Amino acid sequence: MVDVETTGGWASGDRITEIGAVKIRNHQVVDEWHSLVNPQRAIPAKITQITGITLCDFYGIELETHHRALCDARATGHLLSLKREGCAPDRAEEAA
């Protein structure tokens, strides 16, 4: 079985945030795998409520507050600053 989480339901603008898979044999889970996929765009609050995934998960931003909106705003600002500096979004961790 495969499951995909996204930033929404529109193929033209929403992006994948997580892919998961489980291998089932004789009605038993025998293996599982998952990976986050950086959507390189904001994650709507409603999607964070459903999946628990925020941009902070992709940039390793840890804040003492548990306020997800603040965390996402900080991660979005980080992504925008990388774009302004000409860094490719997929190389964000190297540039940080």
Side-chain angles (χ1 to χ4, degrees), residues 38 58 65:
N38 189 336
F58 302 101
T65 178

Side-chain angles (χ1 to χ4, degrees), residues 1-62:
M1 297 180 74
V2 175
D3 181 41
V4 177
E5 302 296 344
T6 66
T7 58
W10 297 98
S12 63
D14 288 313
R15 306 247 177 99
I16 293 172
T17 57
E18 183 176 28
I19 299 172
V22 294
K23 185 187 291 184
I24 299 173
R25 196 173 284 139
N26 297 324
H27 305 286
Q28 299 287 327
V29 174
V30 295
D31 199 9
E32 40 184 281
W33 172 87
H34 83 95
S35 180
L36 292 174
V37 179
N38 189 336
Q40 300 177 356
R41 60 158 289 188
I43 299 174
K46 183 176 179 178
I47 298 302
T48 294
Q49 278 183 325
I50 295 168
T51 66
I53 299 170
T54 74
L55 281 178
C56 296
D57 297 320
F58 302 101
Y59 293 102
I61 296 172
E62 295 179 22

Side-chain angles (χ1 to χ4, degrees), residues 59-81:
Y59 293 102
I61 296 172
E62 295 179 22
L63 302 176
E64 289 189 24
T65 178
H66 296 290
H67 195 275
R68 289 196 179 274
L70 176 60
C71 185
D72 270 352
R74 186 169 173 195
T76 300
H78 177 66
L79 179 60
L80 292 175
S81 70

